[in-house]
Amino acid sequence: MSASASSSASGASGDRTPEASQPTSTAPEEPTAVAYPLQLLNEENSLSFQDPRQPREDRKGDIRFACEGTSCALASDTSVIAMLYGEPGATLDTCRSAVTGHNAGRSLPLAAAAAGSEICIKHNSGDIALFVIQVKSTAMPNIGFVTGDLTVWRAA
């Protein structure tokens, strides 16, 4: 290799700074998903984002199951809710998009939901959750319920 080619090659690598090639510690990390399997919601309890493992019996939690007449829905005063349509396999990014879209609201009718339906929820705190319905029973609203697996990404 000639001296000019050698200096040219070393000059090219000398132009790179160590900071540009190594990740910085200030780069945001993706939140870790925390699973809360088999959550039950009915007209006597609610689900709190703070501790989803313990359903609240006082109905003051973040997500409630509510029926009026023959229509049942998930409802919240602290979160926006959106159902995903299409192929299963929602991710944090999928839910981020869904809860900022025009279909997100404080109430989600469950008429079109079935086992396997994916529902994204964003709490006022910034937590984002994916609720995947396992069983929905709304034919008799007075004893209706929904069960599902909940995944929460904190401060997402």
Side-chain angles (χ1 to χ4, degrees):
M1 183 183 270
S2 73
S4 64
S6 175
S7 68
S8 168
S10 67
S13 65
D15 291 342
R16 293 171 54 199
T17 61
E19 295 83 26
S21 62
Q22 296 188 11
T24 62
S25 61
T26 58
E29 291 184 25
E30 279 295 306
T32 303
V34 180
Y36 300 96
L38 204 55
Q39 299 296 305
L40 167 70
L41 285 168
N42 58 35
E43 287 208 329
E44 296 176 7
N45 69 0
S46 60
L47 186 66
S48 173
F49 264 77
Q50 186 175 9
D51 188 4
R53 295 170 295 186
Q54 299 296 320
R56 294 183 58 130
E57 299 299 325
D58 61 8
R59 304 260 312 148
K60 293 183 181 179
D62 299 305
I63 306 296
R64 296 177 309 281
F65 175 85
C67 297
E68 283 188 30
T70 59
S71 177
C72 296
L74 292 181
S76 179
D77 297 325
T78 61
S79 305
V80 291
I81 309 166
M83 183 149 33
L84 300 176
Y85 298 95
E87 295 296 316
T91 64
L92 173 57
D93 287 336
T94 307
C95 280
R96 274 186 188 134
S97 295
V99 295
T100 57
H102 66 280
N103 290 329
R106 300 279 181 184
S107 179
L108 177 73
L110 294 173
S117 291
E118 297 176 325
I119 298 169
C120 294
I121 307 161
K122 182 175 183 183
H123 188 265
N124 289 341
S125 68
D127 294 349
I128 294 179
L130 172 64
F131 185 75
V132 181
I133 293 178
Q134 298 300 321
V135 176
K136 178 188 87 166
S137 178
T138 57
M140 297 175 62
N142 59 327
I143 58 171
F145 67 91
V146 63
T147 64
D149 296 328
L150 184 74
T151 302
V152 177
W153 292 274
R154 301 284 177 195

